[in-house]
Amino acid sequence: MPVPHYTHLDISEHLGGFIVKQLEEFFKDGLKYLFHSIKLGKGKRSSSGSMSASTNGCLDNRNMRSLQISTHFNVNSGHLCYGELHNIWQGASAEPSHGLTAIQRRIAETVMTYELDHNVSAQNGTWNAFQLIDTTKARLAGWFVAHEAVDVLQEIDKILRVSGSPYEEDSGSKYNDEKTIAEGVLGLYDKRALNVVGEQDEFDLSTFMVRISAGLVDYAEAKAEVILWKDIPEDRRGEEQRPYGVWLDVPHNEYSFGRFGFDDEQSAARSFLLFGIDTVFTQTVIAGMQQPLRKSETHEERFQRRLLEGFDFRGMETLKMMAVPSWLGSSPADGDLLGPHTDNERLFQEADFVALLQRNAKNLDFVDPWRDRVQFLLNELLMSYLRRYIVPLDRSFDTILAAAEALTPQRAPQQDEDWPMDFLGNERRTVDFFLFQYLTQPHADPIANWDAAAVAARVRAFLYSQSEEQRGLFSDDEYIAGLCRCLAFLIGEVLELASNEAKDSYRSNIMPVDVRIAVGNEAQLLSAFKYSRVYWDGSEELHEKKFAHYSDLFTLCSARLRECCASGMDDIHPVKSNNTAYLPRRISRSPGKEETDIGGPHKLGEEDIRNGALEGRQHYTGWLLAWLAYQSTGVIYGDIGTSPLYVYSSTFSSEPSYDDLLGVLSIIIWTLTLIVSVQYVTIVLYADDDGQGGTFALYSLLARYANITKRDPKAASMVKMERYLSSDLKPSIQLVRSILERSVAARSLLKLLGILGVSLVIADGILTPAQSVLGAIQGLTVADPNLSNGTIVGVSCAILILLYLVQPLGTTKIASTFAPIVIIWLTFNLAFGIYNLTLYDHSVLRAFSPYFAGQYFVRNGTEGWKSLGGILLVFTGVEALFADLGAFSRKAIQMSWLLFTFPCLLITYIGQAAYISSNKGAYSNPFFNSVPPGMFYPGLVISILAAVVASQAIITGTFQLLSQVMKLSYFPQLTIVHTSQRFVGQIYIPLANWFLMIGTIVVTAAFTNTTSLGHAYGVCVILVTFITTLMVSIVALLAWRINALIVLAAFLVFACLDGLYLTSAMIKVPTGAWATLALAFALSSIFASWRFGKEQQWKAEGDTKVQVDQLILTRDDGVKHINPAYGGGQLAMIRGIGIFFDKSGWTTPAVFRQFIAKFEAQPEVTVFFHMRSLNAATIPPEDRYTVSRVSSKGSFAFRLVVRHGYSDHVTTADLARLVLEQLNQFIIREGAQKNKPAASNDKQDSETSSSSETDDERVAAQLELVRKAYGSQVIYLVGKQSFRIRGATNIFRRILLSAFIWMRNNTRSRVAAMKLPTDRLVEMGFITEV
């Protein structure tokens, strides 16, 4: 049995659950929604004065105790009237209707509706009304009214299953048809609150979208109720309970829909559902319950269910449903239908359709097993069009113009009073208008990669075969060329509309159902193609023998999936097989063990990879999480944890008063709480991009929720876009996203902020180690004041060199080593703080009140504001906390901060303040002055060690950020070493490490002391914090969809706090901070230049992309030659296997094009080899390799994609043997798949047996061919692309491109990293202009 989409919801939760849900909504959407939600949720009092929800105990005690009845009324006449007031009056004046089956049908605009005269037979008794609540918006979304004997949940479940909202996926029938009648559901559609439920004499455009409303009232009392209601405003009619009716009002909604549910005999209605276009049942509940009325499904889950339910992907059921009730009418008479035609009559080949797809439906493709079926259907449409309309013209007209005028009688613009113009302000032009233009005039914009001559030859041959004499217009080359343009236009329109259908179903490929709906939805296209028999009758029925060898994969899938469900399998996932068709993958109950079904070893498809099946963020629990938290303490908190050494001395330049000391302590407490604990740990850490942190991760995250950036074409298909539909966003959020997507300035500014944030952190990564290590060694002067400055600088440089030399050991080893140091340091500080607080002045605890922080600024004015430049050292290192997210995980960082580091630092600063308040001069060196007796030297040693390791946080963060900018093509690809098999995010970048070391040593030698460095310190931190605040606010809008007012309020709070520190820190710019800012801007320029160059490279490469079928042509005699557009010439065959390394993994490699064009030869066996690196340690062998056959007629060409982790070695000396094994396995699986029968009857069994023998021979011949080619030779061909700037290039563009080319030429060659036999490796150079 099919798995039902709607589940019966168990409503066993008490009323408190609903209140908790509303409180959650309060924190999400703000105070204004809470009161509205409470208003909606409370039951109305009955006439007896008690709450109707409690007085009506007739609800099913099993699952409806928590449902809240809003009101109730009685029906005594056996009929109900409904609609607006004049509708109810009309219904009360008409004869009462008698059951669902007695109602007469009529045809409306887009639905089959019924003449009801606004009354319907209904069950007598008490009817209860229930409010439907939208849980995300906390407001009324609709109403459900039912007889008291009805099981509310079962009834509404049935209505939504049979005929739910037409704006939701798989919501049953949009029409009243035989299925809805059989289920006893009657649908009422109201076009913008008109016609059926709520017909109005006057239509006010300014108010019609405000609400939907309708009355439901007993037939005998209807007129009396109308008289009472007519003087009451529409939005207040439902406030007073009426004994014989109810007024249903839904504010903030439009397009009202009504659904009557009838009893089993279909004699009387027993329920009524009212909702609108904004009612989303996956987020709507009945007041008093928590579970939504519909189960939310992912696209993958919906696909699985459709398989189980036997969904017709050919579109035949959809076509019939469209044809019966409304605009399609019925198909032409059988004698007028044309087709099917034979294969050799096909007008367009696959390469022609691909060219049209690239022009009209970019980013979409055909996919097996529908590839041939879609192309067969499209060719049938074209051939029926030619036979019906074009062939007769040959004998009737002698000129092209006369034929064109006869073919296109409706060339004039459409005359439509409602829509006289299109969206661009032009007259609405017809299909005939364009056909006339294309038939009489050449292409103004020719189709790229379109073989017009070949198409023209096939079209002429087909027309000759249908014409009595080979003469007339069919012999005119210009006429045939015009016809080809017309056919391309028609198919292009179909593909564009079909692509929209596919996208609406969240698919990236076009299926037959999309083509049929596209044609049926466009009247002019339907008029052109309606004489195609295949369009109306399908292709499998007509060509059963032809498609038998396809072994209908979907039929097999459906049967196998049902078998799996019957056997109790836990989970079933559709995955892609080698030939990219969907095959079921079974996952057993035993963790880690998988079984595979038909088609050999399963292969994860691109969608699986994009959704993170093999990579992405990692989740840790238990001891592993505790270990990560321990490691994060050693790496992240060295910087922020050593701030107690110098915060007070940096803030005060003279002895502070008690009030000033209390004010500064209050600022410190609330800064650590608001900026670190609340902003970063509680909010910012959730704005990760697949587990990665940092400002560039924020930019990458936004790029998945809005179209704000261009992507590398070879990686674009692997990006999981999560952009919400506009209908899912509130208007304010839509406005923000629209500005970002449409404004070049806004997109550029956002990109600049992301780049600048990374550059600032890296610049800080050079400054922080110098500051921390130099400060630590200067601390030795406390024990030995005679240490010279040269000694201090020399020792500091030596320690820095040692620090960078240990980085190759990896984050885990370094963190595990450094963690005890940081933990002991923080524990010392905690103990010292408690000691000082107990012994000296506990009154400083009053600083927890923000009053003292405010008084500090009031009392000190400008000087107090300037002192923030010293206080900001409290949270230096917070930017590394976010940047290091990928190396540790959110939970680990939250645990280590909230449970350990934060309390330690608070007590430390409080204890130092207590000591300073009682000891004059102690502010100058607060840590060493406040250590307990006997702890000076232990404190000195551990402080020096802690200061030395403090720089590890920014070093690790720099590696993380550089990996992100390289991933998004903002920096050349450097070697990344993954230092942990268990923790994927822990990496080391050798070249960056050495550059950081050199930069840090130079800074240390140049500044020589921490006083000079201090002037440059802190500005980068607060700038990054401010940028993070801004970008996280945008993430909250676009990704989290939080109410704009809440986001704005939070942004103003944190932006003002950051702004105070930022403006104060800017004072340091003239005295040293300019150096770090200059370095940051220099890095930003490098990132921007490289990105600009990459975008120009993608554009140049895109202009040269071509499919193999367009590159290599085959003549009628079977001889292959190169397309004249790419040099021409006959192709020679080279013995052996040619392995061409492919960057993209989906198109023809550039090195193959160059090889074909320059040598006019092709290897006997061609393999396009693509390596796809995934963010995982290793990829299981069954998921590692994907082989597909390249569509090249007469060519033995394959595409091999190898998915590998960072520990997998692919390009080894035995790569050729691996390729051979994968090719052999693919050929065998492909042959076995083709041999599977699609049906079983005697005649077909014999045909299948004969076909199997032929296929077995073909498989054996192919295996032998591959074996011989392997024995001859194997050649690896790698492309080396160079760039040259075009002549007419302006100076600014030339500078940027020159910088890009210089950097590109000085990066490591790909060949150098390949461990392939040098005698078989060929590097082929070619030049591209940018």
Side-chain angles (χ1 to χ4, degrees), residues 754-771:
I755 293 174
L756 183 60
V758 173
S759 304
L760 288 167
V761 173
I762 296 176
D764 198 32
I766 295 175
L767 195 67
T768 298
Q771 170 80 358

Side-chain angles (χ1 to χ4, degrees), residues 253-321:
N253 221 320
E254 58 172 323
Y255 280 96
S256 61
F257 297 89
R259 301 287 187 264
F260 276 110
F262 281 74
D263 56 20
D264 295 338
E265 293 77 21
Q266 300 181 1
S267 60
R270 64 186 183 187
S271 62
F272 179 71
L273 174 66
L274 179 69
F275 60 94
I277 188 175
D278 290 332
T279 308
V280 181
F281 287 105
T282 55
Q283 60 192 41
T284 298
V285 301
I286 300 178
M289 62 178 282
Q290 289 185 323
Q291 297 91 336
L293 294 172
R294 283 194 65 183
K295 177 184 176 183
S296 179
E297 286 183 311
T298 64
H299 308 321
E300 180 181 343
E301 291 170 341
R302 184 177 300 116
F303 179 79
Q304 294 172 7
R305 182 174 48 75
R306 285 183 168 184
L307 280 178
L308 291 169
E309 295 173 351
F311 185 83
D312 180 17
F313 287 95
R314 297 167 304 148
M316 301 308 299
E317 293 180 3
T318 305
L319 183 63
K320 292 174 183 176
M321 183 178 66

Side-chain angles (χ1 to χ4, degrees), residues 430-728:
T430 64
V431 169
D432 278 1
F433 172 86
F434 290 104
L435 290 178
F436 183 83
Q437 297 292 323
Y438 284 121
L439 191 57
T440 58
Q441 302 175 17
H443 266 301
D445 181 19
I447 303 173
N449 303 323
W450 172 266
D451 192 347
V455 174
R458 291 192 291 268
V459 170
R460 175 179 277 124
F462 178 78
L463 292 175
Y464 279 161
S465 69
Q466 303 296 323
S467 181
E468 296 178 0
E469 299 180 15
Q470 296 184 5
R471 60 169 181 80
L473 290 176
F474 294 167
S475 61
D476 189 328
D477 291 343
E478 185 178 346
Y479 180 64
I480 295 297
L483 281 180
C484 292
R485 293 192 293 268
C486 291
L487 298 181
F489 164 73
L490 290 171
I491 292 301
E493 290 294 298
V494 172
L495 289 176
E496 183 174 354
L497 295 173
S499 70
N500 293 335
E501 294 293 333
K503 291 174 183 176
D504 288 343
S505 298
Y506 303 97
R507 285 186 278 104
S508 60
N509 42 66
I510 296 176
M511 300 180 186
V513 62
D514 305 315
V515 174
R516 288 190 166 98
I517 294 177
V519 173
N521 277 335
E522 177 53 58
Q524 296 176 69
L525 290 177
L526 179 64
S527 176
F529 297 134
K530 68 180 180 180
Y531 293 98
S532 168
R533 187 185 305 274
V534 172
Y535 177 75
W536 294 101
D537 296 341
S539 55
E540 286 75 7
E541 295 85 345
L542 298 167
H543 274 178
E544 183 177 354
K545 179 179 178 182
K546 167 183 171 55
F547 287 106
H549 70 277
Y550 271 98
S551 66
D552 197 324
L553 291 178
F554 265 90
T555 302
L556 293 173
C557 281
S558 300
R560 190 61 193 141
L561 284 168
R562 292 190 184 97
E563 179 186 335
C564 291
C565 287
S567 63
M569 302 312 297
D570 288 333
D571 200 2
I572 301 169
H573 298 280
V575 300
K576 290 189 177 181
S577 73
N578 287 340
N579 58 359
T580 69
Y582 284 92
L583 294 174
R585 169 185 173 190
R586 180 190 292 184
I587 300 180
S588 65
R589 298 180 187 274
S590 301
K593 296 184 179 180
E594 298 176 349
E595 296 179 28
T596 56
D597 256 329
I598 32 182
H602 69 266
K603 300 289 183 181
L604 290 179
E606 300 302 312
E607 187 70 22
D608 300 300
I609 303 298
R610 188 161 49 243
N611 290 334
L614 298 176
E615 59 175 331
R617 77 180 74 200
Q618 294 180 299
H619 301 278
Y620 307 102
T621 57
W623 287 108
L624 200 60
L625 178 62
W627 186 25
L628 267 182
Y630 167 77
Q631 290 185 25
S632 68
T633 305
V635 170
I636 296 177
Y637 306 120
D639 190 0
I640 198 172
T642 53
S643 294
L645 286 169
Y646 40 72
V647 167
Y648 285 115
S649 60
S650 300
T651 303
F652 299 118
S653 57
S654 60
E655 188 70 36
S657 66
Y658 178 79
D659 290 337
D660 286 348
L661 179 64
L662 210 59
V664 168
L665 177 59
S666 182
I667 296 172
I668 291 173
I669 291 173
W670 285 103
T671 296
L672 282 174
T673 302
L674 291 177
I675 291 184
V676 185
S677 298
V678 176
Q679 182 180 358
Y680 270 84
V681 175
T682 308
I683 300 175
V684 174
L685 287 183
Y686 285 89
D688 64 298
D689 181 39
D690 282 337
Q692 296 296 315
T695 54
F696 216 73
L698 293 174
Y699 179 74
S700 177
L701 179 65
L702 287 172
R704 291 198 283 116
Y705 285 90
N707 297 318
I708 58 174
T709 187
K710 297 179 181 178
R711 297 189 183 276
D712 186 349
K714 68 180 181 181
S717 62
M718 300 306 299
V719 177
K720 183 183 178 183
M721 288 297 294
E722 300 181 78
R723 186 179 185 274
Y724 291 109
L725 298 175
S726 297
S727 58
D728 294 335

Side-chain angles (χ1 to χ4, degrees), residues 168-183:
E168 292 187 2
E169 283 285 336
D170 300 315
S171 56
S173 178
K174 298 179 183 178
Y175 318 103
N176 290 316
D177 51 27
E178 287 74 10
K179 292 182 180 179
T180 59
I181 293 175
E183 294 279 359

